[in-house]
Amino acid sequence: MAFAHKLAWAAALTLACQGGQAAPADQPITEFNCSSCKEWNAPQKPFNIYGNTWYVGTAELSALLITSPKGHILLDGALPQSAPLIEKNIKALGFKLKDVKLIVNSHEHFDHAGGIAALQRRSGAIVAASAIGARVLQAGVIGKDDLQYQPDQDPRIDKVPKVQVVGEGETLAVGGLALTAHMTPGHAPGGTTWTWTSCEHGRCLDMVYADSLTPVSADSFRFTEAPAAVAALRASIAKVAALKCDVVVSTHPGFTDVMAKLQARKGDTNPFIDAEGCRNYAAGATKRLDERLASESANGALPKK
Ligand SMILES: [Zn+2]
């Protein structure tokens, strides 16, 4: 599948999941109100990305574990119903959920933040997010500043009682691990890309967990009428492209070909190491945004879902 096609596919699915019935706290988001969630939440065997960085997410929703002898960091919690799968994956790798000391979020949408509350309760970890992300995690509902906001939306995110706020360039430490926040608003107002270093046999690489950069919105929103929204997304795309980046994993693994790279991994060859990974991801995001703008201009309406 071409990258743009994959982005369009994911954008349509994400948007499709915005309507429907309210889900009570800790209840799975069901097929009734999210036709794609079952597919997104298909189990995935955990695997190593590089060094102490592991993929512990589901088939189509990323979650990463960065490990140390003095505690681990978990990036994202996927859907509420993903939490048991993520816990199982952490155990399958020989690690303990109780050793997760910090959970961070890429952005405050139900498919990346929905499982955080359950994983926090089970681990006792500190949860950290951008200021807007923290506000949404604590409120359990996205704000009017989110392009996907709809007045009749679901309270999709299980509330997280306490969230530590991180700012641009701030680094969070767990044991010897150091995780840095880069604000990448656009897809979601609290969007955050995270960077750290992982080493293998003395070779240390720049790791990136890149936030979603897709122009997904409520039906009534027009990017062509919102230059600030376009500028924010373009600035975040440029920021991701400019990061020191040897290995990139995106919030939906398909955006950065995670499963294809896993399949191609053989012997000493690690396809996750890709100096062009962040720039390619950014280029695909620019293409998708340009297509959205062209489509709005041509049709005066959003692309057909
Ligand atoms: Zn999203």
Side-chain angles (χ1 to χ4, degrees):
M1 261 194 300
F3 185 79
H5 182 203
K6 276 185 289 188
L7 286 183
W9 162 85
L13 290 183
T14 302
L15 195 59
C17 282
Q18 280 300 304
Q21 298 285 306
D26 287 327
Q27 292 301 303
I29 290 168
T30 63
E31 283 299 285
F32 180 72
N33 52 27
C34 173
S35 57
S36 305
C37 282
K38 192 173 176 186
E39 197 179 328
W40 283 354
N41 203 47
Q44 169 65 48
K45 267 190 176 175
F47 54 91
N48 181 255
I49 298 280
Y50 183 80
N52 60 344
T53 299
W54 308 82
Y55 186 95
V56 294
T58 67
E60 298 190 25
L61 296 169
S62 297
L64 295 183
L65 184 73
I66 313 170
T67 61
S68 90
K70 292 181 180 170
H72 313 317
I73 300 173
L74 178 66
L75 297 97
D76 273 349
L79 294 161
Q81 57 264 48
S82 308
L85 298 177
I86 292 171
E87 179 171 3
K88 196 176 158 201
N89 281 350
I90 291 171
K91 279 184 189 161
L93 292 169
F95 301 111
K96 294 185 184 118
L97 187 62
K98 288 273 177 211
D99 290 333
V100 172
K101 303 300 178 194
L102 172 67
I103 302 173
V104 300
N105 185 213
S106 58
H107 70 269
E108 62 275 19
H109 289 160
F110 68 89
D111 49 344
H112 308 286
I116 288 178
L119 289 160
Q120 192 283 327
R121 281 194 301 273
R122 300 271 297 146
S123 65
I126 288 169
V127 175
S130 64
I132 293 173
R135 190 190 73 204
V136 171
L137 284 169
Q138 288 177 292
V141 64
I142 61 171
K144 287 182 181 174
D145 52 351
D146 194 305
L147 306 186
Q148 296 188 26
Y149 175 83
Q150 295 174 102
D152 58 350
Q153 67 187 338
D154 294 347
R156 289 283 194 171
I157 304 158
D158 294 334
K159 289 182 190 176
V160 181
K162 257 207 250 176
V163 183
Q164 184 182 321
V165 173
V166 284
E168 171 65 31
E170 255 183 73
T171 296
L172 304 170
V174 170
L177 305 175
L179 184 70
T180 302
H182 307 263
M183 298 301 126
T184 46
H187 172 83
T192 310
T193 290
W194 298 92
T195 61
W196 66 103
T197 301
S198 280
C199 306
E200 202 173 292
H201 308 303
R203 184 186 179 198
C204 296
L205 297 181
D206 291 310
M207 312 289 290
V208 177
Y209 185 53
D211 189 25
S212 298
L213 297 170
T214 43
V216 182
S217 71
D219 286 350
S220 59
F221 186 84
R222 297 288 179 274
F223 279 89
T224 41
E225 293 163 11
V230 175
L233 201 45
R234 287 208 194 282
S236 292
I237 291 169
K239 197 178 213 176
V240 169
L243 287 173
K244 282 167 74 181
C245 176
D246 297 309
V247 175
V248 60
V249 175
S250 53
T251 49
H252 291 265
F255 289 172
T256 52
D257 297 323
V258 169
M259 299 309 165
K261 288 174 183 173
L262 174 66
Q263 292 303 317
R265 192 167 186 175
K266 280 193 189 82
D268 289 341
T269 308
N270 185 343
F272 290 114
I273 305 169
D274 176 6
E276 294 303 313
C278 281
R279 280 188 287 272
N280 285 340
Y281 177 50
T286 297
K287 188 165 180 280
R288 171 68 186 153
L289 177 57
D290 289 342
E291 284 171 357
R292 167 72 184 251
L293 291 167
S295 174
E296 285 184 20
S297 299
N299 306 325
L302 296 181
K304 285 233 159 30
K305 293 200 285 284

